[in-house]
Amino acid sequence: MNTGTALIVGASRALGLGLATEYARRGWDVIGTVRGDRHTGLHDLAASSGGRVVVESLDMTKPDQIAALRERLAQRTPIDLLFVNAAITRGNIPIGDVPAEMFTEVMVTNALSPMRVIESLRSLVAPTGTIGVMSSRQGSVGLNTNGGQDVYRASKSALNQLMRSYAARYPDAAHTLLLICPGHVRTELGGPAAPLTIDESVPGVVDTINRHSGEPGLHFLNHQDQPVPW
């Protein structure tokens, strides 16, 4: 898959904006979503893209907005890559101290909402296209040897499990399914001391996604195309 149309959910800033920028640089048509009506870096990218980048509005925690986006996108060409990037964290709080409302917010945003997007938009993805989500090594049960970030870890583990269930539910589908760990990146989530910049992570993420195009089944990989333990 050298070029095509990529839909990146959560592309207003950080890794999502980096992905939109990298795919546009490689000659792809990009549809990126932002939440609300504020001006973002994606709008600037779209303005300088000569029509290659299009901005759509989506709060993926709201099913009616997902349905509306599906209706709008159904009028366009098939999507070759659907990638859900959006996620939140609410700090490094021990699980016993986490309010139920906070737990619910993180789980709905990081695990339930990406799957709602995928279930709603899957029929718009080309038959041999790719569906991916931004996961994390913090979602790996096997790699959790020092704890911390309890709710965020739990949400990413839940996302991984839900993607496994999704893959099992559609065993005859030819889509490539990817859980991608971008590495420890300097973002709001990763913190200022993270070893990787967005510009160092994103090209590897894109290379990994593209390298597995046309390979049906579910893969959990990092930005260097290495398997991540479940």
Side-chain angles (χ1 to χ4, degrees), residues 75-160:
Q75 310 305 316
R76 303 184 183 181
T77 57
I79 296 164
D80 298 290
L81 167 66
L82 165 59
F83 194 88
V84 184
N85 170 69
I88 61 171
T89 183
R90 288 295 180 252
N92 189 11
I93 304 172
I95 192 63
D97 297 330
V98 173
E101 296 80 3
M102 180 186 294
F103 185 86
T104 300
E105 178 193 23
V106 175
M107 282 290 182
V108 167
T109 302
N110 293 2
L112 177 59
S113 295
M115 298 311 302
R116 282 176 167 167
V117 169
I118 289 169
E119 290 280 13
S120 179
L121 302 185
R122 64 181 301 272
S123 64
L124 303 183
V125 179
T128 57
T130 298
I131 297 173
V133 294
M134 194 70 85
S135 186
S136 169
R137 65 176 283 124
Q138 292 197 42
S140 167
V141 174
L143 291 179
N144 185 4
T145 58
N146 53 8
Q149 297 289 343
D150 292 351
V151 179
Y152 181 76
R153 284 183 187 273
S155 71
K156 288 300 186 179
S157 293
L159 177 62
N160 293 352

Side-chain angles (χ1 to χ4, degrees), residues 118 129-132 163 166-168 170 175-179 215-220:
I118 289 169
T130 298
I131 297 173
M163 279 293 284
Y166 175 89
Y170 302 108
H175 290 149
T176 301
L177 304 177
L178 297 174
L179 292 158
E215 296 180 11
L218 178 62
H219 314 270
F220 188 10

Side-chain angles (χ1 to χ4, degrees), residues 38-51:
R38 70 192 188 284
H39 188 88
T40 71
L42 184 65
H43 291 88
D44 294 332
L45 178 64
S48 63
S49 71

Side-chain angles (χ1 to χ4, degrees), residues 170-195:
Y170 302 108
D172 297 326
H175 290 149
T176 301
L177 304 177
L178 297 174
L179 292 158
I180 296 293
C181 169
H184 190 185
V185 186
R186 274 172 243 156
T187 63
E188 182 180 345
L189 292 175

Side-chain angles (χ1 to χ4, degrees), residues 4-26:
T5 298
L7 170 60
I8 300 172
V9 175
S12 63
R13 60 190 178 89
L15 284 166
L17 179 57
L19 286 171
T21 302
E22 183 67 11
Y23 272 105
R25 186 187 69 79
R26 297 189 187 201

